[in-house]
Structure formats: C-alpha cells, structure tokens
Amino acid sequence: NGKHRLTDDVERIVQEHLQYVREDVSNGWDLIHQDGEMKVYRREVEENGIVVDPLKCFHTIKGVTGHEICRYFWEFQYRMEWETTLDSTKIIEALDPDTVIFFQLHKRVWPAAQRDSCFWSHIRCISNSDEDQPTWLVVNYTTPHPLAPIKSPQVRLVANVALICETIISEPPLNPKDIKRENIQCKLTYVAFVNPGGWVPSAALRGVAKREYPRFLKRFTSYVVEQTRNKPILF
Ligand SMILES: CCCCCc1ccc(-c2ccc(S(=O)(=O)CCO)cc2)cc1[C@H]1C[C@H]1c1ccccn1
C-alpha cells in the first residue's frame, strides 16, 4: 500500500502493540469481568488525577476467523450496528486501502461533558510463517485532523486501542476448502488505553469502563457471529 504522512507512526504503534500483546496479566492487573471465554483485566493508573486505566481483554469466539473479527471492527459501514456508545461516526480521510481517519461523537455520560474522538484506524495481516494461520489486527490511535476541530463543550478523547486476533482451526481437513465453521475459532486480545481528555470522577469513569467494555466486546463479537453465520469463511 502507498506510503503516506502517517506511515511511520502507524508502523511504530503496530510494532508496540505486537510486543505488548504478549505481556502477561499476572502482576498488577485485576480481573474485573469474566463471562465464559471472555476475561477482562484492568490496571489502575491515574495521570494528573485523571483515570487512564489500561484495559486488556482476552476472548475466544467459536465459528469466526480473526480476519472476520478485524474486518467487522475496522469497516466503517458496520460500526453503528454494534457500537451503542456513539452518537455518530464518519471517515474524514482515507490514507491508503487499510488506513482511514475516523471522527466520532461519543454518547454523553452525564454529568461529564460529551467526548469526541479522532483517530487513524489501520487493519493489517501479519503472516507468522510457523503457525498455519496469520494474525490479523486493527489499531485505532488518536491523531489531530483539520476536519476534526476541537469544539467546546466537547472534550477530545485520547485513545490507543488494538484488536489482535489469531485463527485456530481444529482437526484441519486435508483440503482447506472443506473447513467448516464448527472447526474454527478466533482467539482475540483487545487492549485499550483511553484518556477521557478531561477530568472525570475516578469512581464514575471506572464504573462506566467496567460496565461498558465487557458489554461492547460481547455485543460486537456476537454481531460478527450473526453476520458471518451463513457466509463463506473469510480467512
Ligand atoms: C465520561 C466518560 C468518558 C467516555 C470514556 C470512554 C470513551 C470512549 C471509549 C472508547 C473509545 C474507542 C473504542 S474502540 O474500541 O476504538 C471502537 C471505536 O469506537 C472503544 C471505547 C471508552 C471510554 C471508557 C468509558 C469506557 C467505555 C468503554 C466502552 C464503551 C464506552 N465507554
């Protein structure tokens, strides 16, 4: 894909996430939610009195590939189908076929001011030769943009989010064309570093995050299972 003004930033952040995804959650992380295969962890971090807790979620979804999960997460046209915390979302620039810039208005969480966000969003396939299936990932990373002016009273979020997915094929048949959805599953890791961009009561923000992240991950993954049920498998 063509080089553009953010190529180096995208490369750097993608590599950082590929290192970070391997870090285990045994020390310093609290398990804040578990639902079947989904485990949500959080570290309590404050910057200048603002809660910026990193979030890490592990989930295994039967019947879908990592490519399908990343595709539905990255593609603009599906977003309002699964995102319940947005008032609006739009693409304001396409940098290359795999990298766009979104501007989003997040639903107001009373009594805090409404948040908006502007980030580059990049989808990529990383073929790791040894394993059979490649890793697919999406990174959403805050960036300024002339078409996303910061306008009071909205407060600009600072977000660095990654969705990293592996595809597992159990009992692979001799001919890959015979692979069925019951033989595939996606192991996903979702990490989110979100700074709300302005002071929010710590307990309130921790409460919203604890409720909203599991809800959004459950709703999003269920949406992809529904959408792909009778479609050919996208590896
Ligand atoms: C006073 C509350 C301020 C709002 C805080 C806030 C805003 C955005 C986000 C967020 C930003 C990006 C993403 S994404 O994965 O890139 C998808 C694209 O939309 C996802 C979640 C998170 C939170 C934190 C609360 C937490 C929360 C979690 C899931 C939904 C709503 N609120």
Side-chain angles (χ1 to χ4, degrees):
N1 296 319
K3 288 212 175 302
H4 49 76
R5 70 179 188 280
L6 294 174
T7 299
D8 295 348
D9 287 3
V10 170
E11 196 51 38
R12 176 171 54 84
I13 302 300
V14 165
Q15 293 311 323
E16 277 178 18
H17 277 297
L18 286 171
Q19 297 310 317
Y20 187 76
V21 71
R22 274 190 274 280
E23 275 189 31
D24 71 8
V25 286
S26 52
N27 50 343
W29 293 82
D30 310 318
L31 178 65
I32 59 167
H33 182 88
Q34 183 159 5
D35 173 3
E37 294 291 318
M38 183 198 294
K39 290 190 175 131
V40 183
Y41 295 84
R42 169 175 70 193
R43 254 173 351 103
E44 296 207 352
V45 176
E46 298 198 9
E47 264 165 28
N48 318 319
I50 297 184
V51 167
V52 292
D53 302 350
L55 186 115
K56 203 163 189 181
C57 169
F58 303 98
H59 197 5
T60 301
I61 304 100
K62 292 186 178 8
V64 292
T65 65
H67 186 185
E68 289 169 333
I69 288 281
C70 284
R71 192 53 62 187
Y72 278 97
F73 186 75
W74 183 80
E75 292 287 352
F76 163 73
Q77 67 265 31
Y78 307 115
R79 180 147 306 174
M80 293 310 277
E81 311 268 314
W82 55 267
E83 260 278 23
T84 58
T85 66
L86 295 180
D87 277 341
S88 66
T89 183
K90 67 179 176 183
I91 289 183
I92 54 177
E93 188 178 354
L95 293 165
D96 72 29
D98 298 323
T99 314
V100 294
I101 298 185
F102 284 111
F103 176 69
Q104 307 200 130
L105 257 183
H106 297 256
K107 283 193 173 121
R108 188 171 173 214
V109 180
W110 188 87
Q114 180 168 37
R115 262 64 185 175
D116 63 20
S117 59
C118 179
F119 44 69
W120 53 255
S121 185
H122 176 72
I123 186 168
R124 179 180 303 192
C125 174
I126 314 243
S127 58
N128 26 21
S129 49
D130 47 333
E131 276 112 61
D132 49 355
Q133 290 298 313
T135 295
W136 277 86
L137 64 84
V138 175
V139 175
N140 290 341
Y141 192 83
T142 292
T143 188
H145 194 284
L147 294 180
I150 297 187
K151 232 172 21 210
S152 180
Q154 275 83 22
V155 171
R156 181 59 47 92
L157 269 182
V158 181
N160 174 6
V161 171
L163 178 65
I164 303 179
C165 297
E166 290 170 26
T167 303
I168 315 289
I169 301 174
S170 43
E171 304 145 34
L174 282 180
N175 185 333
K177 277 208 299 298
D178 300 335
I179 297 176
K180 302 226 173 325
R181 284 201 179 274
E182 58 251 26
N183 298 115
I184 61 173
Q185 52 188 337
C186 166
K187 277 170 74 75
L188 79 78
T189 303
Y190 173 87
V191 289
F193 300 89
V194 171
N195 181 320
W199 187 77
V200 179
S202 310
L205 186 54
R206 288 193 164 120
V208 174
K210 183 170 178 158
R211 186 182 66 240
E212 292 296 335
Y213 279 116
R215 189 172 129 207
F216 130 74
L217 287 159
K218 188 178 182 88
R219 179 181 170 90
F220 165 66
T221 52
S222 309
Y223 171 77
V224 179
V225 168
E226 270 319 299
Q227 291 297 309
T228 54
R229 191 174 297 285
N230 304 315
K231 290 196 176 81
I233 301 173
L234 178 65
F235 287 101

